[in-house]
Amino acid sequence: MKKRGIGMASMWYGIGNTGLPNPAGAYVDLLDDGTVLVLTGCADIGQGSTTALAQIAAEELGVKIGDVRVVSADTGVTPDAGASSASRQTYISGNAVRMAAQQAKSVIVEAAAEALGVGVADIVAADRMLTVRTQSDKSKDLVDCQAECQIALGLTPGTDAKSISIVDCIAKCRAKGKLSLGHGWFNPDTTGLDMETGQGRPYATYAYATQVVEVEVDTETGVVDVIQIVAAHDVGKAIHPQNVEGQIEGGCAIGLGYALMEEVQVKQGNVATANFTTYVLPTSLDVPPIQSIIVEDPAVTGPFGAKGVGEPALIPTAAAIANAVYNAVGVRITDLPITADKVLAKLQLQG
Amino acid sequence: MSKRMIKFVLNGKPIELEVEPELLFVDLLRERLGLTGTKVGCGEGDCGACTVLVDGKNVNSCLMLAVKADGHDIVTVEGLGDYDKLHPLQEAFIAEGAVQCGFCTPGMLLSAKSLLDVNPHPKREEISRHISGNLCRCTGYTKIVNAIEKVACQGGGEDRE
Amino acid sequence: MSDYKVIGHSVQKLDAVEKVLGVAKYAADIQFPGMIYGKTLRSKVAHGVLLSVDTGKAKALPGVVSVLTGDDIPGSNSSGIIIKDEPVLVKNGQKIRKIGDPIALVAAETEEIAEQALRLIEVKVDELPAVFDPVAAMKDDAPKIYEKGNVLAVRKIRRGDVEKAFAECAVIVEQDYQTQMAEHAYIEPEAGVAKLDGDIVTVWVCTQNPHYDAKEIARNLNIGLNRVRVIQATTGGGFGGKLDVSVQVHLGLLAVATRRPVKMIYSRHESIANSVKRHPFIMKLKSGSDANGKLLAFEASIIGDTGAYASYGPGTLTRSAVHVMGPYEVPNVKVDAYTVYTNNPQAGAMRGFGVPQVAFAHESQMDILAEKLGVSPLKIRLINALRPGSFTGTGTELKDSVGIVETLEAATAGAKKTMELNW
């Protein structure tokens, strides 16, 4: 007989290394034509960090994603960004890139403020333009004063003078011998853990998730099939929602393999499962429909509120499957993986 | 061991060369012809990263001797599209986010093509079954199946020419 | 917050076109004229002392360009992310601690010749008793893998008074859990190419941390870090398994020794047999709540088998200790997490870093507790979930971005759309 069951599991995951310094650096160069070069040591291993970092730079600088080129993970030219591990790169390198972009931007913003006769705080960058912040939150006196200043500078007050292109600003900077370069580095705010009590501040921020899994257990064979997965992940802010979904879906697949089929067999120190015939990975037939739900509870210290998702994606899956198996047939497996043999043996004990 | 002359069509172009009888087709592609788009993930036919099309059928080129290419029509990822004109499957893989590390991608694309060429409108289950010999460790397959399904809905993967 | 122009938009991935065209260069795809191929001779015994390595016959094989042993390493002959306990090549008189420990390197004109040469190297080892079970390894009479003993690290968390709190609990759940060793199984096996440009050693490699790789290469080659350039080749997945060095230092040694471009590619077998693994855990958890389901006390012991070398082991067990109570507020916590050496393959970082193991345990605990109390799995979690202002087991106050409750609600709502969920 086949019996269905539903299980839930949650997780939390501290972003970055535990109670250790783990900084990342980045350089940003705003080039003469308004395009941008980002140098980062961050290694993209397929998760999409290069794209996410380009997005962060583009947003901060007010340019298009196509204007940004990222040179990554080359110790000859890029600064150290630490490891692509601990779900840390969006948060830590993301902050570093953003800070580097802010520094590069400050050069052109200064030029724009001067050209437009406003303070640097009044300039916003968007659509390849540096624009005076909307007037709605300013007093009439200030607007009048601004217009006077513009006239004094030989500018026309009004809409035309309220913005200047980034390229023109860069040209103004170059004319004065100024380069628009920025560097940034970010280290999460942590402390070490006390050796006796473990008390401290191991991470600056945490990701959270809950997954709900439906399984079908064959009571004749003990085989567990995963029918569907719902995965809700608090990532702070999804820089690239499609890639976040990709992380969740891929994580669920690894979590499913961990729960049900994967085990490195070691006999007297010798790995007996050193190929894909004996170390069996989930195939397209094993992975069920996955409903990814992105929850955004922004982190104050994250770049645009972002935290991380790489590792959280797989953490609750095996636990949710174990709970679903119990819900289906009343068998609690306490040692992974949940193989058919183990389920069947416990079912038989139940009688 | 005496070398053997073989003739085959590779990505639409006739090829004629001498090969050792024990040479694997994947090594011929990668080492001798410099076509490194075809990947080696396991060398044992388990992962599908080395998938090429032989007369339209998906084959693990790590299990195929080069001499067996003689007289056949072979397509590798290099024959699928180029910068100027991506194959609809390549476009769909990009648009749907089906590419993460990319190592399984060439083989996955060719497996998908071998399905759509004979069955332009497969069901989702048929897609999953057809690519089940191509392992992906990054995506959980969801977006890969989405991409193939997208092309199937658009009218299949018939040759654009 | 929603008026971002680029953030929050699923732009085309910057590397996607090259990857679908098959033109992205992974390390194995990189070729140079005159390139030679490197292979590694590895230990077949799990524990012993290397007595001698005779490379004479291998060196004499036509097509062999270089054979290196531990004596040929100009620098520290060690690597390791947290502790430099892993030999680059085990030297005569030094210890072998696992099957697969590297003993010699061969560079030859072809991969086949390099493999043939490996079979000609004669190795003598004085075998020692080995230990493969972490619990056995913790005992005083266990074979000592290291002088200092087999317990590499103990991480303790102490908060409140668990004994007193358990005495006040209405419900207590106590259960043992175990998890298996797992493999990353990135589809791209480890690969790299090294080449000298003047006095600069350039290494293209699949990696998750090129700057770490560069430091390991420089220390072992005994050259300045400014003379090492590590360039990450397009990397076919990592999941934590490409954080440790694989071919990096070996490539640097062979490139310097031969002054020729050199490539190393692991077979799938070599990759699975020798790369780091997910730590198998042995866990004991005890959770106690009041009659309403509010957690009052939590106690856990965790033993992680880190295998022959530390890799990320102590970091993994520390993270496990911090996370083992789950995303819940518990005022009284006691955790002991042991990182234990054995003669097994070394365990290190793998996606989740010790937390998938403990999540399996703490989430099983929550469901068992819910059943005992007669409340739903959702309710037991909502009662205890961390919120802004909560304190964690490490005594950290959480201030912002504590989205666990939102994920519980969102996942439940999502599940109700397609599942017959009655909670």
Side-chain angles (χ1 to χ4, degrees), chain A residues 10 14 16 46 55 59 74-75 84 197 199-200 210 228 239-240 242 258 262 264 279 297 300 307 310 326, chain C residues 6-11 13 158 180-181 183 208 229-230 319 351 363 371 393-394 396 400-401 406-407 418:
Chain A
S10 298
Q55 287 179 273
E59 187 70 46
D74 174 347
T75 66
S84 292
T197 66
Q199 299 297 290
T210 300
Q228 53 177 324
I239 302 286
H240 190 296
Q242 187 186 60
Y258 186 52
E262 294 181 31
V264 177
Y279 192 83
D297 188 339
V300 171
K307 300 191 283 192
Y326 181 81
Chain C
V6 191
I7 297 294
H9 298 264
S10 297
V11 303
K13 279 185 94 171
R158 299 286 185 273
Q180 77 278 35
M181 182 182 283
E183 158 67 24
Q208 295 180 239
R229 180 177 185 184
V230 175
R319 186 179 280 275
R351 198 173 185 181
E363 290 306 278
E371 191 180 29
T394 58
T396 314
D400 67 299
S401 193
E406 292 158 83
T407 69
T418 54

Side-chain angles (χ1 to χ4, degrees), chain A residues 49-68:
Chain A
S49 54
T50 293
T51 305
L53 296 177
Q55 287 179 273
I56 288 167
E59 187 70 46
E60 184 60 43
L61 293 165
V63 299
K64 310 282 183 200
I65 185 72
D67 296 339
V68 181

Side-chain angles (χ1 to χ4, degrees), chain C residues 79-242:
Chain C
S79 72
I81 293 165
I82 294 178
I83 300 165
K84 306 292 177 198
D85 58 1
E86 201 171 340
V88 169
L89 292 173
V90 179
K91 257 170 103 159
N92 282 346
Q94 277 188 345
K95 263 214 174 177
I96 287 166
R97 296 188 179 88
K98 69 172 175 68
I99 291 171
D101 265 348
I103 293 170
L105 298 172
V106 173
E109 299 293 343
T110 68
E111 277 190 278
E112 293 71 27
I113 296 170
E115 262 162 23
Q116 219 182 322
L118 290 185
R119 292 192 285 272
L120 298 176
I121 299 172
E122 288 163 22
V123 173
K124 283 192 184 131
V125 179
D126 183 12
E127 218 169 323
L128 295 169
V131 58
F132 303 108
D133 171 36
V135 177
M138 291 172 80
K139 294 190 173 135
D140 290 338
D141 60 350
K144 269 193 180 174
I145 303 167
Y146 290 85
E147 290 284 311
K148 287 181 188 164
N150 298 335
V151 177
L152 167 60
V154 184
R155 173 60 70 181
K156 298 179 201 168
I157 311 275
R158 299 286 185 273
R159 182 166 172 76
D161 184 341
V162 282
E163 261 178 57
K164 185 164 161 282
F166 273 122
E168 291 163 4
C169 286
V171 183
I172 290 174
V173 175
E174 210 170 345
Q175 179 66 50
D176 293 345
Y177 299 92
Q178 276 198 46
T179 61
Q180 77 278 35
M181 182 182 283
E183 158 67 24
H184 308 75
Y186 26 78
I187 308 299
E188 179 208 26
E190 293 82 345
V193 175
K195 184 171 164 286
L196 294 188
D197 292 312
D199 65 350
I200 309 290
V201 183
T202 304
V203 178
W204 292 262
V205 65
C206 60
T207 179
Q208 295 180 239
N209 193 348
H211 283 82
Y212 165 73
D213 297 343
K215 288 175 215 172
E216 295 298 69
I217 294 167
R219 280 192 314 104
N220 283 291
L221 267 54
N222 199 23
I223 61 175
L225 202 45
N226 59 355
R227 283 180 49 203
V228 178
R229 180 177 185 184
V230 175
I231 302 173
Q232 184 209 14
T234 304
T235 298
F239 316 108
K242 290 176 183 169

Side-chain angles (χ1 to χ4, degrees), chain A residues 6 8-14 16-18 41 43-48 50-51 54-56 58-59 63 65 70 73-86 127 193-203 206 208-210 212-214 228 230 232-234 237-243 247 250-251 254 258 262-264 266 268-271 273-276 279 281 291 293 295 297-300 304 307 310-311 313-315 319 322-323 326 332-337, chain C residues 4-15 19 46 99 132 154-159 175-183 185-187 207-211 214-215 228-232 235 237-239 243 268-269 272-273 277-278 312 315 318-319 322-323 325-328 343-345 350-353 355-357 359-360 362-364 367-368 371 377-378 381 386 392-398 400-404 406-408 410-412 414-415 417-421 423:
Chain A
I6 297 169
M8 167 182 264
S10 298
M11 75 100 228
W12 63 323
Y13 193 85
N17 295 5
T18 313
D44 194 333
I45 50 174
Q47 82 279 29
T50 293
T51 305
Q55 287 179 273
I56 288 167
E59 187 70 46
V63 299
I65 185 72
V70 177
D74 174 347
T75 66
V77 294
T78 65
D80 193 352
S84 292
S85 71
D127 300 323
L193 298 179
D194 183 272
M195 281 313 290
E196 289 308 312
T197 66
Q199 299 297 290
R201 181 177 161 80
Y203 312 104
Y206 298 77
Y208 301 87
T210 300
V212 180
V213 174
E214 184 175 22
Q228 53 177 324
V230 176
H233 286 258
D234 169 24
K237 171 74 192 172
I239 302 286
H240 190 296
Q242 187 186 60
N243 283 358
Q247 286 299 301
I254 293 187
Y258 186 52
E262 294 181 31
E263 180 165 19
V264 177
V266 183
Q268 299 295 106
N270 191 44
V271 176
T273 51
N275 56 49
F276 290 149
Y279 192 83
L281 304 180
Q291 185 191 142
I293 302 170
V295 172
D297 188 339
V300 171
F304 302 98
K307 300 191 283 192
E311 292 166 285
L314 76 83
I315 291 170
N323 285 340
Y326 181 81
R332 182 157 294 285
I333 303 295
T334 54
D335 55 328
L336 292 180
Chain C
Y4 292 131
K5 304 270 180 171
V6 191
I7 297 294
H9 298 264
S10 297
V11 303
Q12 182 173 315
K13 279 185 94 171
L14 300 190
D15 52 354
K19 284 176 175 176
I99 291 171
F132 303 108
V154 184
R155 173 60 70 181
K156 298 179 201 168
I157 311 275
R158 299 286 185 273
R159 182 166 172 76
Q175 179 66 50
D176 293 345
Y177 299 92
Q178 276 198 46
T179 61
Q180 77 278 35
M181 182 182 283
E183 158 67 24
Y186 26 78
I187 308 299
T207 179
Q208 295 180 239
N209 193 348
H211 283 82
K215 288 175 215 172
V228 178
R229 180 177 185 184
V230 175
I231 302 173
Q232 184 209 14
T235 298
F239 316 108
L243 289 162
R268 177 55 56 184
H269 182 280
I272 298 184
K277 298 286 168 281
R278 186 187 294 291
Y312 263 117
T318 289
R319 186 179 280 275
V322 171
H323 288 81
M325 64 295 299
Y328 310 110
N343 294 109
N344 286 322
M350 180 169 169
R351 198 173 185 181
F353 219 91
V355 187
Q357 294 94 317
F360 167 62
H362 67 62
E363 290 306 278
S364 297
D367 266 30
I368 297 169
E371 191 180 29
L378 174 64
R381 289 174 174 83
L386 293 164
T392 68
T394 58
T396 314
E397 186 185 358
L398 299 176
D400 67 299
S401 193
V402 191
I404 180 63
E406 292 158 83
T407 69
L408 281 161
T412 304
K417 289 183 194 164
T418 54
M419 299 179 198
E420 285 177 38
L421 196 66
W423 17 280

Side-chain angles (χ1 to χ4, degrees), chain B residues 33-140:
Chain B
L33 300 173
L35 296 179
T36 54
T38 303
K39 305 302 177 195
V40 180
C42 70
E44 295 170 333
D46 290 328
C47 77
C50 64
T51 301
V52 299
L53 300 185
V54 179
D55 300 332
K57 197 181 174 323
N58 50 326
V59 170
N60 287 320
S61 62
C62 76
L63 296 182
M64 176 180 160
L65 290 172
V67 292
K68 293 284 181 189
D70 193 27
H72 293 283
D73 186 80
I74 313 275
V75 178
T76 69
V77 69
E78 288 87 352
L80 209 50
D82 54 40
Y83 278 103
D84 297 326
K85 193 158 190 189
L86 296 174
H87 187 276
L89 277 164
Q90 292 171 318
E91 280 176 355
F93 267 56
I94 296 172
E96 294 299 310
V99 181
Q100 286 192 31
C101 86
F103 203 76
C104 76
T105 304
M108 203 63 93
L109 285 164
L110 292 167
S111 274
K113 180 170 164 39
S114 72
L115 171 66
L116 297 186
D117 285 351
V118 296
N119 179 7
H121 303 291
K123 295 194 191 79
R124 207 174 160 87
E125 298 73 36
E126 291 175 300
I127 296 170
S128 289
R129 191 162 301 282
H130 191 83
I131 61 163
S132 63
N134 292 78
L135 296 176
C136 169
R137 192 60 156 167
C138 298
T139 65

